Amino acid sequence: MRPELPDAPRPPARALARLPLHPGTLDAARARALRSPLPRTDPSTGVWAHVREWAERDPDRVAAVSDAGTTTYRQLAHRVHQLRAVLTAGSCTPGSRVAVAGPRSTDTIAAFLAIESLGAAYLPLAPDWPQARAEAVLRTAGPHCVLVPDTADATSVTAARAAAGTAVPLLVFPPPAAAQPGERLAPARVAAGDEPRYVIHTSGSTGGPKGVIVDQLGMLNNLRFLVGRLQLTGADRVAFTAPPAFVISVWQMLAPLLVGATVVIVTDADQRFARRLASTVERTGVTVLELVPTAIDWTVREAARRGAGREFARLRCLVSTGERLDPGIAGAALRLLPHVELVNAYGATECSDDVVLHRITADDLAAPLLPVGRPAPGVVLYLLVHEDGAWRAAEPGEAGELWVGGDAVSAGYLHDPERTAAAFYADGFDPASRTGRLYRTGDLARFADGIAHCLGRTDRQVKIGGVRIELDEVEAALSALPGVLGCAVLAEVQDGTAGLVAFFVAAPGVSRDTASDALRAALPAAFVPRRWVRLDSLPANGSGKIDRLALRSLAGAP
């Protein structure tokens, strides 16, 4: 019998700052908070325990489908056994951080499970990161090693070079081999709720990425929430569409494994074009598909062009994530795919991914902003308003800044106490909180009839194509280029598509092309502005700061 573990220990109060509150805020915030009625998650049993059980109970059940072929649960478990041996030979132990490179694949899933089975933490590296960014992540995160595909594979070259540049040991995925007679699988571990499970890097406002530490409790809480809310069963086929360096990839590759379902690995090439994605969905029998709203728009239109009954006959659930879902896109999806449930998701990497979900209906389309839903088990949402240097609870129906408490809140930013202190606070609202932490999302929201509605950002963080971008990080990288004398970066929408526009002042030898090329060598592609506006000087307001309102009026300049 599996032993029961106590709740995850709360961090000492001195480790986190406390919110300055106006009188009466504590009781008012508790009274108006949104809570889930669902039972809390037991975090002690990880994903590997479930995969191991399926491999023994139903070994021929299909665990993953990719261009490389079909992988059964028994084959997946054996691959985990192989990778675990490589990591053990490389002296990986409980508490180690293991960086994993390469595109999403069955090996990505096996690597995560091998790392989890050892009690270590998974740290994905994006194949398209420039070498400088990969090296920066490795230096700050300090992983025990980097696990890469065969180094002859072009997708792992950047990671291999980055590892060499930082003296982090490089381990190579072994070639697949058949299971040996009598092979014994690694036992399932009993994990503490506060055990670090993975580190995902997000955009940072000070010029560098932030490594978010998600623990066992947060990960399992999110996976269980999605299994229940999306009603996943062993008959489902869930599309693995997200790059491994994005937090939504975690649920896409792991949640199906909890219930004996199948993960369908969609390549980047198949995801970039509506026709190819539609063909993949039909050919592989995808039942649950998660995309950013812009991708939902062109995918739904492609389905209509082909005939939804033919191309999306098995699809039953379409999840919108990454950015605000426009009512127009939602309406088209409901109209063109009436047999498909449309779900609006909201969350953050700092909250172990999604904290609320909402099934969109025709009744929701009349409002300018679509609801994002009710919270996950063990999650509590608060709305606070900052006034006169302190916080008060938002009045009923009033907009406020959204704060997240409870089981989903991550442990903060790896090796970054300053930015952790700016975003995470001691939870004085909920005495039953298993994390003892609150996360400040930076989003404005409103509660109505027990449902959250997001209204936009309070800071300078934007999401474009599902990628979260700190505009300050882009400006920091641009300012660091030789010959750039000043710059400002804003988000804009042109022809219905969001993108970045850069305003810059530079020496005569610096062109927009040279600046753009230099940024591409330092930042992910989504961070590079699509439009450039050269100025003689940046407009300033009365306090001498950059006048961003004036810049918006110049956005149409050549």
Side-chain angles (χ1 to χ4, degrees):
M1 179 180 291
R2 177 177 52 78
E4 294 296 327
L5 288 181
D7 289 346
R10 293 169 57 125
R14 59 182 169 76
L16 296 168
R18 293 194 173 274
L19 287 177
L21 302 176
H22 284 288
T25 296
L26 197 63
D27 290 337
R30 286 173 177 167
R32 296 168 192 155
L34 287 189
R35 300 173 185 268
S36 171
L38 300 172
R40 284 183 165 183
T41 298
D42 173 9
S44 61
T45 304
V47 184
W48 166 240
H50 293 274
V51 172
R52 189 179 187 275
E53 182 179 348
W54 284 112
E56 293 176 342
R57 190 203 313 177
D58 191 358
D60 294 328
R61 178 183 286 268
V62 177
V65 173
S66 70
D67 285 351
T70 296
T71 302
T72 66
Y73 272 84
R74 177 60 187 171
Q75 290 170 331
L76 176 61
H78 171 64
R79 188 59 170 162
V80 172
H81 179 80
Q82 280 190 286
L83 297 182
R84 179 185 164 94
V86 170
L87 294 173
T88 301
S91 302
C92 179
T93 59
S96 298
R97 285 182 294 277
V98 179
V100 179
R104 57 187 170 277
S105 66
T106 304
D107 269 350
T108 307
I109 302 171
F112 185 101
L113 296 172
I115 293 164
E116 183 205 58
S117 76
L118 289 169
Y122 164 81
L123 193 162
L125 303 177
D128 61 348
W129 279 352
Q131 184 176 337
R133 186 180 183 87
E135 288 181 353
V137 166
L138 293 180
R139 285 196 187 94
T140 57
H144 178 77
C145 60
V146 180
L147 187 60
V148 300
D150 184 340
T151 51
D153 184 345
T155 61
S156 64
V157 168
T158 296
R161 288 175 178 167
T166 55
V168 177
L170 194 68
L171 302 179
V172 179
F173 282 90
Q180 298 300 312
E183 177 181 275
R184 300 183 64 183
L185 298 176
R189 294 181 67 256
V190 175
D194 63 348
E195 186 174 285
R197 191 78 298 127
Y198 63 83
V199 178
I200 296 282
H201 283 81
T202 68
S203 178
S205 60
T206 59
K210 300 177 290 189
V212 182
I213 310 166
V214 176
D215 58 25
Q216 176 85 353
L217 173 62
M219 181 189 76
L220 263 296
N221 196 68
N222 177 253
L223 297 183
R224 289 293 183 190
F225 173 47
L226 288 159
V227 165
R229 179 57 189 83
L230 302 181
Q231 299 180 318
L232 297 183
T233 71
D236 275 306
R237 291 193 158 206
V238 179
F240 182 6
T241 58
F246 289 83
V247 71
I248 60 174
S249 68
V250 175
W251 91 261
Q252 290 179 357
M253 67 177 177
L254 300 182
L257 304 180
L258 297 182
V259 294
T262 301
V263 181
V264 176
I265 298 160
V266 181
T267 66
D268 284 339
D270 286 341
Q271 192 174 279
R272 287 193 188 103
F273 304 99
R275 294 183 180 184
R276 292 184 61 165
L277 180 59
S279 296
T280 300
V281 168
E282 175 63 18
R283 173 174 51 82
T284 59
V286 167
T287 61
V288 179
L289 176 65
E290 182 179 41
L291 299 169
V292 296
T294 49
I296 287 177
D297 187 26
W298 50 255
T299 301
V300 167
R301 296 183 188 282
E302 174 63 17
R305 188 187 71 81
R306 295 179 171 217
R310 182 170 66 87
E311 290 298 327
F312 289 82
R314 292 194 60 188
L315 185 68
R316 66 170 186 81
C317 183
L318 185 59
V319 183
S320 174
T321 190
E323 56 193 8
R324 184 185 300 169
L325 177 61
D326 183 88
I329 294 175
L334 293 179
R335 185 175 67 257
L336 298 173
L337 299 175
H339 65 289
V340 176
E341 181 183 39
L342 179 63
V343 175
N344 199 15
Y346 167 84
T349 307
E350 290 85 349
C351 298
S352 314
D353 196 15
D354 295 325
V355 291
V356 289
L357 294 174
H358 181 79
R359 179 179 180 270
I360 299 296
T361 67
D363 293 339
D364 295 320
L365 301 180
L369 293 173
L370 297 174
V372 292
R374 293 183 169 86
V379 173
V380 187
L381 304 182
Y382 303 94
L383 277 188
L384 304 178
V385 177
H386 195 254
E387 286 182 346
D388 303 322
W391 295 88
R392 66 168 174 83
E395 297 295 334
E398 180 185 15
E401 190 167 341
L402 186 65
W403 292 69
V404 179
D407 296 356
V409 182
S410 78
Y413 302 118
L414 183 64
H415 302 322
D416 200 338
E418 250 183 57
R419 287 194 281 191
T420 297
F424 295 86
Y425 290 77
D427 188 350
F429 296 129
D430 186 4
S433 171
R434 293 198 283 189
T435 63
R437 296 185 292 270
L438 291 171
Y439 172 65
R440 182 180 184 179
T441 68
D443 285 318
L444 284 173
R446 182 181 290 111
F447 296 163
D449 300 323
I451 296 176
H453 300 249
C454 285
L455 309 177
R457 296 293 301 171
T458 63
D459 54 20
R460 299 195 65 234
Q461 185 185 99
V462 298
K463 280 189 177 180
I464 295 176
V467 180
R468 193 171 72 172
I469 299 171
E470 292 276 5
L471 297 180
D472 291 333
E473 180 180 7
V474 183
E475 290 181 358
L478 183 54
S479 297
L481 300 181
V484 174
L485 309 176
C487 67
V489 178
L490 303 176
E492 64 171 7
V493 177
Q494 279 196 340
D495 300 323
T497 303
L500 300 182
V501 54
F503 300 87
F504 71 111
V505 179
V510 179
S511 69
R512 65 184 69 186
D513 291 336
T514 57
S516 179
D517 290 344
L519 281 192
R520 289 184 190 282
L523 297 173
F527 290 49
V528 179
R530 67 180 177 188
R531 284 213 310 128
W532 295 77
V533 179
R534 191 184 192 104
L535 300 174
D536 293 328
S537 62
L538 295 171
N541 57 26
S543 65
K545 297 180 179 180
I546 294 175
D547 188 341
R548 299 184 186 276
L549 289 178
L551 285 177
R552 291 200 177 277
S553 69
L554 296 172

